[in-house]
């Protein structure tokens, strides 16, 4: 009798276990709550919608979302993850993920996720970006950049300009026609809105929008895997000269007037180099604005910044399998379209049919399917890169308005040389400097 | 000539009882204060001590490798351009804010000494900025300073003066912060001075009147000397507050249409950037220790100066 009872128990255990395996990772556990932290509050509605859809097939999985500003998010993660706490899932840029990988706080992707990432849904460029020392980490959700040139068609027509600029020389010439000043000589509309003031790495990132087409790079990798500055050269000097000329010689922009997306949405600038999220801003605040978006003009080459933002599963998560399953759902084709439609951020997937979106908002075209022939560049995945950009930003804002640099190529060269020396010093401090 | 008290047994026991009672009082006081002291030690002294320890390490928040580097972080500070600039800007800001807010608050306090309804109204008005939260206030000031829509430039235009890039001009931005800093702290200093002036016994002023003193002489020889404890308190608190300036700098340099970072780089911002942006906790702790020592040193000097005059 006792043997029969034991057999019955064993059969039940096997049956339940088999049922659990068949049901997939999420249903194996009874109730699972996944915590997700994001540094992009505007994506929260997307996550909520996706989580609600996921719950339809995985009713035992609940997703809680905490969204804060990116800087706060990075601080929270930096305090939580190394101490073995933090959420199950988080999105973050390579400036932080590189540190976590370096410190051993992130595990490489499990084999099934690795296969999923390499399934062809993402370009080799993106897959390579998520690969460190031969192992993949995280899944790419959206692109933080693909910055392109927004231009106000109405203002272009008024100025008698038929086409958006294709080169930086044309851009400056157009900007000079488009800038507007009042009777007292005060600028009321800029020809192009450059990032001239404030602080933070974004200033240098925008500098790179021109530096890269001009033929330079902020830092370049050597054959031995070391890094050194890549702008103490003609490209770097030409880029800084472009900014100084724009502000001080041709007066097509002025740090004192309204800037960035706000200025473009309000019609207070004719051109702006920015990311796809500006489309969302325009739709919300000035849907009647007649504008177009084209690739950033060519200088010596045509280049676009790709900046994949990754999703990672915390090493200490108690629900890793479920978390990875949810992430695969989150990065599916359907959710790629939903992400872009709801937030303006562009999914990194290359196998999505964007036609429905483009028929509604053609301005997304350059972001979702960049023109052939355009080269891509990316942020180097080394922890010190963010510091290089941030510290260089403080020097750039001073240089743009420094009268000593106006019409003085030697001073421009000197300013660039100082910035480059600082970048190299930071690389040396991080132990990754080399020229061979 | 010495006087000897007769020694008796009860008289010998009396001082012993007094000593015992005094010790009992001390023990009681310390026992009662113990929870507060423990809390103070936990939330104040322990973090300070921990910062000193951290400053001796190359402590990256997002890395498990945290080597001991001794005083290397302090050595680096002496050649760190950003730190030196922040130190210079913070010192300029502090001297200007403390001086202006003290020099302006004192005559205002003298003018508002009489307890009238208008005095109460002005006190309330001057004190309003003190209780207003810093972040919304800094945002409001960002608009006040706006080149195109700001009220300051509007007022300048009424006088046919050219508009000023209050926040975006490198040479002006720090002074724009000083103006805001003075506006914020003026009411606090004013109230302290007012309390001090009103607490000066009237008999001194009456005596000075009999001696024929009035106006400046009365202020110079009666009001000011008797206000020294208040003046010391104002100087010390204002200096500590000024050296810790951060929020308005953070808000006013945020975004594309804001102050250029270097023009208004201050110490706490530099600490924040190194600690919470670059995650160099050890280096940021070294900066924090230096800031603490500077403020401590200035406080000691202020105490010495004011008390020295008293002596």
């Amino acid at each position: 009798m006792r043997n029969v009872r034991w057999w019955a128990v064993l059969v039940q255990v096997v049956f339940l276990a088999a049922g659990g395996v068949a049901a997939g990772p999420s249903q194996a556990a009874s109730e699972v709550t996944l915590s997700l932290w994001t540094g992009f509050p505007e994506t929260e509605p997307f996550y909520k919608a996706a989580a609600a859809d996921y719950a339809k097939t995985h009713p035992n999985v609940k997703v809680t979302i905490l969204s804060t500003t990116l800087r706060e998010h990075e601080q929270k993660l930096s305090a939580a993850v190394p101490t073995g706490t933090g959420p199950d899932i988080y999105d973050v840029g390579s400036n932080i993920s590189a540190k976590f990988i370096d410190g051993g706080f992130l595990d490489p992707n499990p084999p099934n996720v690795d296969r999923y990432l390499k399934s062809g849904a993402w370009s080799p460029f993106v897959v390579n970006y998520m690969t460190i020392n031969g192992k993949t980490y995280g899944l790419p959700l959206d692109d933080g950049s693909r910055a392109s040139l927004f231009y106000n068609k109405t203002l272009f027509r008024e100025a008698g300009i038929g086409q958006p600029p294709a080169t930086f020389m044309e851009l400056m010439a157009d900007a000079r026609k488009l800038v507007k000043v009042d009777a007292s000589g005060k600028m009321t509309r800029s020809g192009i809105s450059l990032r001239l003031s404030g602080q933070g790495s974004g200033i240098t990132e925008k500098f790179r929008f021109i530096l890269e087409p001009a033929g330079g790079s902020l830092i370049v990798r050597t054959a031995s895997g070391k890094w050194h500055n890549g702008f103490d050269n003609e490209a770097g000097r030409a880029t800084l000269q472009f900014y100084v000329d724009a502000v001080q010689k041709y007066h097509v922009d002025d740090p004192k007037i309204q800037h960035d997306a706000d200025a473009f949405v309000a019609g207070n600038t004719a051109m702006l180099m920015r990311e796809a999220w500006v489309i969302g801003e325009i739709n919300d605040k000035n849907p009647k604005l007649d504008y177009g978006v084209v690739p950033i003009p060519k200088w010596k080459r045509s280049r676009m910044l790709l900046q994949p933002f990754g999703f990672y599963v915390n090493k200490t998560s108690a629900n890793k399998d479920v978390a990875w399953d949810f992430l695969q759902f989150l990065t599916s084709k359907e959710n790629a379209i939903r992400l872009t439609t709801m937030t303006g951020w562009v999914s990194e997937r290359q196998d999505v049919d964007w036609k429905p979106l483009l028929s509604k908002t053609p301005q997304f075209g350059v972001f979702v399917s960049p023109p052939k022939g355009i080269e891509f560049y990316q942020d180097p995945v080394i922890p010190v890169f963010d510091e290089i950009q941030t510290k260089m930003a403080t020097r750039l804002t001073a240089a743009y308005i420094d009268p000593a640099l106006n019409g003085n190529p030697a001073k421009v060269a000197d300013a660039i040389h100082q910035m480059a020396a600082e970048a190299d010093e930071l690389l040396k401090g991080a132990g990754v400097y080399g020229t061979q | 000539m010495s006087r000897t008290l007769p020694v008796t047994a009860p008289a010998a026991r009396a001082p012993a009882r007094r000593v015992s009672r005094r010790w009992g009082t001390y023990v009681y006081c310390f026992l009662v204060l113990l929870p507060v002291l423990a809390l103070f030690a936990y939330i104040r002294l322990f973090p300070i001590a921990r910062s000193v320890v951290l400053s001796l390490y190359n402590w990256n928040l997002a890395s498990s490798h945290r080597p001991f580097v001794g005083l290397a972080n302090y050595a680096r500070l002496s050649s760190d351009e950003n730190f030196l600039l922040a130190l210079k800007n913070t010192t300029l800001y502090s001297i200007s804010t403390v001086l202006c807010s003290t020099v302006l608050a004192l005559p205002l306090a003298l003018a508002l000494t009489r307890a009238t309804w208008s005095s109460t109204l002005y006190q309330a008005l001057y004190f309003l900025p003190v209780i207003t939260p810093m972040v919304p206030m800094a945002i409001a000031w960002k608009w006040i300073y706006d080149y195109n829509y700001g009220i300051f430039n509007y007022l300048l235009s009424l006088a046919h003066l050219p508009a000023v890039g209050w926040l975006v001009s490198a040479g002006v931005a720090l002074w724009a912060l000083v103006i805001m800093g003075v506006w914020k702290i003026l009411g606090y200093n004013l109230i302290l001075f007012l309390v001090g002036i009103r607490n000066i016994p009237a008999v001194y002023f009456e005596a000075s009147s009999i001696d024929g003193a009035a106006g400046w002489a009365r202020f110079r020889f009666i009001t000011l000397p008797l206000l020294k404890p208040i003046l010391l308190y104002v100087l010390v608190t204002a200096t500590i507050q000024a050296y810790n300036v951060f929020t308005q700098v953070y808000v006013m340099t945020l975004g594309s249409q804001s102050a250029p970072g270097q023009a208004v780089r201050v110490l706490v911002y530099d600490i924040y950037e190194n600690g919470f942006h670059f995650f160099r906790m050890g280096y940021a702790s070294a900066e924090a220790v230096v800031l603490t020592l500077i403020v401590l040193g200035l406080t000691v000097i202020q105490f010495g100066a004011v008390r020295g005059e008293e002596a």
Side-chain angles (χ1 to χ4, degrees):
Chain A
M1 186 67 183
R2 184 175 286 174
N3 278 347
V4 171
R5 207 178 296 155
W6 274 111
W7 271 109
V9 170
L10 190 65
V11 166
Q12 277 181 17
V13 167
V14 170
F15 181 77
L16 286 172
V21 170
S26 62
Q27 288 173 6
S30 52
E31 288 293 327
V32 174
T33 300
L34 292 176
S35 57
L36 185 156
W37 289 4
T38 175
F40 299 90
E42 68 275 19
T43 57
E44 194 174 334
F46 161 72
Y47 293 137
K48 281 185 176 163
D53 271 5
Y54 187 75
K56 286 176 189 166
T57 49
H58 304 75
N60 59 325
V61 179
K62 192 181 158 199
V63 182
T64 60
I65 299 151
L66 174 72
S67 68
T68 51
T69 63
L70 185 59
R71 198 60 70 207
E72 272 182 61
H73 173 66
E74 288 173 353
Q75 287 164 12
K76 280 182 205 293
L77 283 177
S78 298
V81 173
T83 51
T85 54
D88 295 293
I89 300 166
Y90 53 86
D91 59 17
V92 79
S94 59
N95 58 327
I96 303 294
S97 66
K99 290 174 186 168
F100 289 168
I101 294 165
D102 199 40
F105 303 123
L106 263 175
D107 281 334
N109 291 346
N112 64 322
V113 178
D114 185 66
R115 279 195 299 277
Y116 172 66
L117 178 61
K118 294 172 178 170
S119 63
W122 288 276
S123 72
F125 189 90
V126 173
V127 174
N128 183 47
Y129 192 83
M130 311 299 289
T131 307
I132 309 284
N133 297 327
K135 292 171 184 164
T136 58
Y137 292 85
L139 285 174
L141 180 75
D142 60 50
D143 197 294
S145 189
R146 298 197 186 195
S148 301
L149 182 74
F150 287 74
Y151 67 101
N152 185 316
K153 288 184 175 175
T154 309
L155 299 181
F156 267 63
R157 273 195 299 273
E158 283 171 11
I161 306 167
Q163 293 293 322
T167 67
F168 273 97
M169 281 186 71
E170 286 177 22
L171 185 144
M172 187 68 90
D174 290 348
R176 293 176 70 183
K177 290 178 194 163
L178 290 157
V179 69
K180 195 175 169 187
V181 292
D182 66 12
S184 66
K186 194 167 130 184
M187 192 184 292
T188 55
R189 183 179 76 206
S190 59
I192 180 164
S193 186
L194 299 163
R195 186 68 176 267
L196 302 174
S197 200
Q199 58 187 344
S201 57
I203 293 164
T204 310
E205 187 192 80
K206 274 83 189 167
F207 181 81
R208 291 163 63 212
F209 290 169
I210 305 177
L211 174 69
E212 288 282 345
S217 290
L218 203 62
I219 58 173
V220 287
R221 194 174 188 175
T222 65
S224 63
K226 298 287 185 184
W227 299 83
H228 61 83
N229 90 78
F231 63 97
D232 194 5
N233 49 33
E234 193 191 332
R237 292 186 286 273
T239 306
L240 182 56
Q241 190 69 62
F242 179 89
Y243 269 89
V244 172
D245 286 351
V247 178
Q248 300 189 49
K249 188 177 176 185
Y250 299 124
H251 303 286
V252 296
D253 194 12
D254 188 325
K256 294 192 278 289
I257 66 163
Q258 193 181 32
H259 271 81
D260 211 23
D262 288 344
F264 190 78
V265 171
N268 288 334
T269 186
M271 290 184 277
L272 173 72
M273 289 182 277
R274 263 303 199 172
E275 300 84 12
W277 61 267
V278 175
I279 294 173
E281 288 281 297
I282 296 166
N283 289 344
D284 285 348
K285 296 175 183 169
N286 189 5
K288 288 184 180 169
L289 188 75
D290 189 12
Y291 71 102
V293 191
V294 291
I296 284 178
K298 193 177 174 181
W299 196 323
K300 285 185 175 170
R301 55 191 181 185
S302 186
R303 292 209 128 192
M304 178 184 255
L305 174 60
L306 282 196
Q307 208 173 48
F309 258 78
F311 253 126
Y312 302 91
V313 172
N314 199 339
K315 188 175 183 173
T316 55
S317 167
N319 303 297
K320 278 186 191 166
D321 289 348
V322 187
W324 279 120
D325 193 60
F326 178 64
L327 279 191
Q328 289 179 63
F329 173 77
L330 211 55
T331 53
S332 64
K333 266 190 205 179
E334 296 71 26
N335 279 321
I337 294 170
R338 180 170 16 202
L339 169 76
T340 307
T341 311
M342 286 182 78
T343 70
W345 289 106
V346 176
S347 164
E348 285 287 10
R349 284 191 78 115
Q350 60 175 3
D351 57 350
V352 176
D353 179 13
W354 294 108
K355 279 181 198 139
L357 176 74
L358 292 178
S359 64
K360 208 171 153 191
T361 316
Q363 287 91 346
F364 272 116
V366 69
F367 298 104
V368 297
S369 49
K372 295 262 185 287
I374 205 161
E375 296 171 20
F376 298 110
Y377 65 101
Q378 62 186 38
D379 287 346
V381 190
I382 53 170
V384 74
F385 185 68
D386 185 49
E387 189 171 351
I388 292 172
Q389 286 208 117
T390 305
K391 289 198 166 163
M392 185 167 162
T394 60
R395 290 178 183 271
L396 285 172
T397 50
Y400 296 156
I401 54 171
D402 184 354
L405 269 62
N406 188 16
N408 191 339
K411 284 274 183 194
V412 168
D414 187 44
I416 280 290
H417 181 68
Q418 284 181 29
M419 292 177 209
E422 185 181 58
D424 285 343
E425 278 304 312
L426 288 167
L427 290 168
K428 282 174 193 167
V432 291
Y433 176 79
T435 53
Q436 302 299 314
Chain B
M1 195 177 81
S2 66
R3 200 172 60 159
T4 313
L5 289 172
V7 179
T8 58
R13 276 200 298 273
R17 267 205 303 274
R18 272 203 299 275
V19 170
S20 163
R21 201 180 304 136
R22 198 183 304 154
W23 270 105
T25 309
Y26 282 144
V27 170
Y28 172 76
C29 288
F30 276 104
L31 276 176
V32 172
L33 286 172
L34 199 60
V36 179
L37 285 175
L39 196 66
F40 181 75
Y42 184 70
I43 63 172
R44 288 283 181 192
L45 300 180
F46 176 71
I48 291 173
R50 187 84 179 123
S51 294
V52 175
V53 174
L54 277 181
S55 71
L56 305 174
Y57 287 82
N58 185 4
W59 188 292
N60 191 309
L61 196 62
S63 170
S64 54
H65 184 57
R66 292 158 178 179
F68 178 80
V69 293
L71 296 175
N73 285 330
Y74 292 95
R76 264 187 62 201
L77 285 178
S78 61
S79 58
D80 182 340
E81 280 179 37
N82 281 341
F83 173 74
L84 296 175
L85 179 67
L87 185 61
K88 183 187 136 199
N89 284 344
T90 312
T91 305
L92 267 177
Y93 173 87
S94 300
I95 292 171
S96 313
T97 311
V98 173
L99 276 181
C100 292
S101 65
T102 308
V103 168
L104 286 173
L106 197 50
L108 280 171
L110 286 168
L112 299 177
T113 306
R114 281 191 174 183
T116 59
W117 68 267
S118 57
S119 166
T120 312
L121 176 71
Y122 276 109
Q123 285 172 50
L125 287 175
Y126 279 113
F127 202 71
L128 265 178
V130 181
I131 54 168
T132 313
M134 187 57 96
V135 172
M137 207 174 73
I139 293 168
W141 272 88
K142 207 171 169 180
W143 279 105
I144 289 170
Y145 283 138
D146 190 90
Y147 183 75
N148 288 305
Y149 312 111
I151 195 162
F152 274 14
N153 278 351
Y154 172 71
L155 294 173
L156 288 176
S157 74
L158 293 179
H160 302 289
L161 290 168
V164 175
W166 292 97
L167 285 180
V168 291
S169 300
V172 184
L174 187 68
W175 304 110
L177 284 181
V178 169
I179 293 172
M180 185 191 159
V182 171
W183 175 81
K184 170 82 176 160
I185 200 173
L186 187 68
Y188 184 70
N189 293 352
L190 184 150
I191 296 295
L192 288 173
F193 282 134
L194 203 54
V195 170
I197 293 167
R198 283 179 178 170
N199 276 327
I200 295 173
V203 65
Y204 291 119
F205 294 115
E206 287 162 13
S208 69
S209 297
I210 293 166
D211 290 343
W216 169 251
R218 204 155 80 161
F219 172 76
R220 168 73 182 83
F221 295 107
I222 296 174
T223 310
L224 198 58
L226 292 171
L227 266 184
K228 271 185 183 168
I230 299 287
L231 185 64
L232 174 68
Y233 180 78
V234 164
L235 288 175
V236 169
T237 52
T239 305
I240 293 171
Q241 214 169 328
Y243 262 90
N244 283 298
V245 60
F246 171 71
T247 312
Q248 55 267 55
V249 175
Y250 183 78
V251 172
M252 287 187 172
T253 55
L254 211 63
S256 57
Q257 208 176 331
S258 47
Q262 290 304 73
V264 291
R265 178 172 284 273
V266 289
L267 274 177
V268 179
Y269 186 88
D270 205 54
I271 294 170
Y272 163 80
E273 190 172 76
N274 277 309
F276 295 101
H277 195 156
F278 305 143
F279 307 128
R280 297 179 188 279
M281 283 297 169
Y283 191 68
S285 297
E287 285 187 291
V289 170
V290 170
L291 174 61
T292 308
L293 291 175
I294 289 170
V295 173
L296 203 64
L298 287 172
T299 307
V300 170
I301 291 169
Q302 285 168 343
F303 263 90
V306 176
R307 285 196 172 159
E309 277 186 38
E310 276 178 353

